[in-house]
Amino acid sequence: MKLRNKDILDIESLSAEEIGLILDTAERMREISQRPVKKVPTLRGKTIILFFHEPSTRTKTSFDIAAKRMSADSISMAASSSSLVKGETLADTALTLEAMNPDIIVMRHSSAGAPHMMAQRVKASVINGGDGMHAHPTQALLDMLTIREKLGTIAGKRVAIIGDIAHSRVARSNINGLIKMGASVVVSGPPTMLPFGVEHLGCDVTGSADEAVEGADVVMMLRIQKERQENFLFSSVREYSRNYGMTRERLMRANEGAIVMHPGPMNRGVELTSEIADGPWSVILDQVTNGVAARMALFYLLAGGRDADSD
Amino acid sequence: MLTVIKNGKVVDPGNVVGHYDVWIMDGSVDEVVPSGEKAIPVDAEVIDAEGLLVVPGLIDVHVHLREPGEEYKETIETGALSAAAGGFTAVCAMPNTKPVNDTPEVTSFIVKQAREAGYAKVYPVAAITGGLSGASLCEYGELKRAGAVAISDDGRPVEDGQIMRRAMEYAKGFQMLIISHCEELSLVAGGCMNEGLTATHMGLAGIPNISESMMVIRDISLAELTGAHLHVAHVSTPESIEAIREAKKRGVSVTAETAPHYFTLTDEAVKGYNTNAKMNPPLRTEKDRQAVRAALADGTLDVIATDHAPHSILEKDLEFNRAMNGIIGLETSLPLSLELVRDGVLTLEQLVTRMSKKPAQILGLDNSLTQGNTADITLIDEHAEWTAVASEMHSKSTNTPFEGWALKGRAVQTIVDGKTVYGG
């Protein structure tokens, strides 16, 4: 089985079978990172451009490591060093990158839809590394990989996503992916942080974090951006963390063995207490580890295509 | 010089409807007589309109011709030609040019350019406030003397209620029509498409319906207070429509327009981050679209205007949130509006009212096909089938969401002051 599209732009355009294929592939990739020599020659001679138009350390590093472990040549291009700051349009940047014959372009951009624009203009595969409030498909894939690793399966699990759902590309991609893979999802946050029509996204909605956690197998906390305070989405960090932050007491409402996730970087004491972040239920670092594996899997499926074991 | 348009189906609501010959003498309507009733002199120029509709020239009260200042998008010449090709004998050019049309000199320049172009007539709309800044009133009297037919800060709302009040009062003294771009910017807050499920899925910031209607309600209140004539531009929501409907019942001097895209498309057209479906106000939902159609039928919305807004790839081939608002519309308006007739929303007479008679009335013109009136006439083949291809149209820009659409109906001949300026 192969992926149908040349690009990974959002979870919507992936079928459940394709997500399954990516997760299966990622599981095999995980082992490579545990070897003394963490490198396979699979993507030797392939060029991967990491085009990050928005600041990112974690995601970019994860993609970069994934590329190097597959022996691809990865080149970073940050907005501050690119011609975009010199006034070049994205359409022209796309043509310029295309002229250098990359195999994959990983793209992060502050504008929703920018990776779509890129994908229409280049022959290379485009992987969306996060676009505006739209999508962050590799985050959702690594989250699903982590849930499958820790709980054995995604289907039938109850996942609570808590925080600024409206402005979160992580939430959008996860809601879509988790429901597609058979989980039930409940989202919670102050009404200012719930997007228009959230009830039509196929998930449950509650204003109470306690209610959301009730019976959950997975509790996924979203990062609160403190600058959102200026946009009147919440009045104080104290009030937010009291009502929506994860504490041990609140977590006790979840199912036994429930795991706590966070896409990072986390604000300790805001979205979750340190006790939660560092406790046995926390799989936050496993998410980071799985991020590399999931991205290796995507590189492999998009640029390699041959079975990883044969290398 | 005598010209006779014979055998056509004349649709001139409130005057004559049926098969008539229209006699034009020296640029003015001379007589409208039942077809064949009066022998046509051999030396007359004869236009055979068999199978065609003959209507008083269509008037578009809302276009952007970009000249002066952005001639790479459109010029008065190309815009007026595009208008003529779309069946319009006159258009109202919005003042957001560079420089802004806020002085008699700019107004005169537009009048002069339009006269030299010689296609559709161009009626300049001048600014309400200097530089569209919302801060100071323009010289409405001087602007009117130079040829301005109305004032508007289109593209921007006049945010300050007191300034809008004074503008209305001052404009009233010159019997100047105020066209209001109704938008409460604080509620737009960075939005770039309709606030709805499509925006939620696409991760784009939404613009709520009430960002329009709240300002419509304010301006109606001000028109009620001042007695000025308010014309509400590009209405897209049922909330605005309801406010206008109620205001009309109370006898407030208010008229309103909508555009073909609001009764044809919904925000689903934005999918795929299509910047040619990005405009302001944004395309709304199916419920809103239906409300606009119903309001055109019952007359709450008086006029169909295009909001023709040419942009080049420099403004459109961009990330969705960075792309500019607006689409071209002059050459697709008539077929899309005829669709309302085919769908049974409007009668043919109502359509001509919305696209010709009512716009004329709002501008204080009488364009009936009666003796002595200027012969501005459009001949329409309502059954002509064609495919919309922007590069084959006459505008300098190609930003349309209707590219490739199979359309039905088009103007085949446009006559201004008795002279054919397009087709024939």
Side-chain angles (χ1 to χ4, degrees), chain B residues 128-395:
Chain B
I128 298 173
T129 65
L132 309 177
S133 64
S136 60
L137 303 190
C138 296
E139 300 169 310
Y140 305 149
E142 296 297 310
L143 290 162
K144 186 169 186 175
R145 199 162 292 134
V149 297
I151 50 171
S152 179
D153 274 2
D154 186 61
R156 291 189 53 79
V158 176
E159 290 182 74
D160 188 298
Q162 174 71 351
I163 290 175
M164 192 58 156
R165 173 189 176 162
R166 293 302 183 213
M168 283 192 188
E169 286 172 341
Y170 197 58
K172 200 184 159 199
F174 297 102
Q175 285 91 50
M176 199 71 147
L177 170 72
I178 289 209
I179 302 176
S180 181
H181 169 111
C182 292
E183 185 179 18
E184 174 53 53
L185 292 176
S186 67
L187 283 170
V188 174
C192 59
M193 73 171 289
N194 181 52
E195 180 172 283
L197 208 47
T198 309
T200 296
H201 278 295
M202 296 180 70
L204 291 170
I207 302 172
N209 278 17
I210 61 161
S211 69
E212 174 183 296
S213 57
M214 274 177 56
M215 208 55 129
V216 169
I217 290 164
R218 183 201 75 171
D219 284 350
I220 284 171
S221 303
L222 289 173
E224 199 163 13
L225 178 70
T226 60
H229 178 183
L230 168 70
H231 177 75
V232 182
H234 43 57
V235 172
S236 71
T237 76
E239 294 85 351
S240 303
I241 288 166
E242 199 46 50
I244 295 162
R245 192 175 279 139
E246 288 304 313
K248 284 184 168 182
K249 273 189 206 154
R250 292 201 302 278
V252 182
S253 178
V254 57
T255 54
E257 72 190 33
T258 190
H261 38 278
Y262 300 118
F263 60 71
T264 306
L265 299 173
T266 67
D267 58 2
E268 305 243 327
V270 176
K271 282 183 177 171
Y273 300 93
N274 177 12
T275 59
N276 281 336
K278 181 178 178 181
M279 63 278 287
N280 188 22
L283 294 173
R284 306 282 186 185
T285 64
E286 179 60 18
K287 179 172 147 280
D288 303 307
R289 189 178 81 99
Q290 292 301 340
V292 167
R293 290 159 80 92
L296 276 170
D298 73 18
T300 303
L301 295 177
D302 303 86
V303 165
I304 295 170
T306 63
D307 198 0
H308 178 78
H311 286 299
S312 79
I313 59 165
L314 298 177
E315 295 80 27
K316 281 296 194 181
D317 196 12
L318 295 173
E319 298 87 326
F320 191 86
N321 61 324
R322 294 183 60 212
M324 291 192 82
N325 288 309
I327 62 168
I328 57 168
L330 283 166
E331 290 171 67
T332 48
S333 179
L334 179 57
L336 294 171
S337 301
L338 278 165
E339 206 61 40
L340 294 174
V341 177
R342 289 187 282 267
D343 289 348
V345 176
L346 297 180
T347 64
L348 205 46
E349 286 175 61
Q350 283 176 316
L351 179 76
V352 176
T353 302
R354 303 272 170 271
M355 295 188 76
S356 170
K357 303 287 284 195
K358 198 73 197 206
Q361 273 174 30
I362 288 171
L363 298 172
L365 308 168
D366 175 10
N367 70 343
S368 296
L369 301 178
T370 50
Q371 194 184 22
N373 277 352
T374 303
D376 291 350
I377 297 169
T378 306
L379 272 56
I380 299 166
D381 178 352
E382 57 174 326
H383 305 295
E385 294 185 19
W386 57 291
T387 303
V389 178
S391 60
E392 293 171 4
M393 296 180 194
H394 302 78
S395 171

Side-chain angles (χ1 to χ4, degrees), chain A residues 20-35:
Chain A
L21 170 69
I22 295 165
L23 299 185
D24 290 344
T25 311
E27 260 163 27
R28 288 183 287 145
M29 294 296 168
R30 206 154 43 204
E31 176 268 328
I32 296 170
S33 296
Q34 285 148 11
R35 296 179 191 174

Side-chain angles (χ1 to χ4, degrees), chain A residues 55-78:
Chain A
S56 160
T57 311
R58 305 161 59 95
T59 306
K60 194 160 114 181
T61 306
S62 177
F63 272 112
D64 204 2
I65 289 174
K68 291 189 161 72
R69 290 197 177 150
M70 302 296 281
S71 296
D73 296 312
S74 59
I75 295 94
S76 283
M77 202 178 130

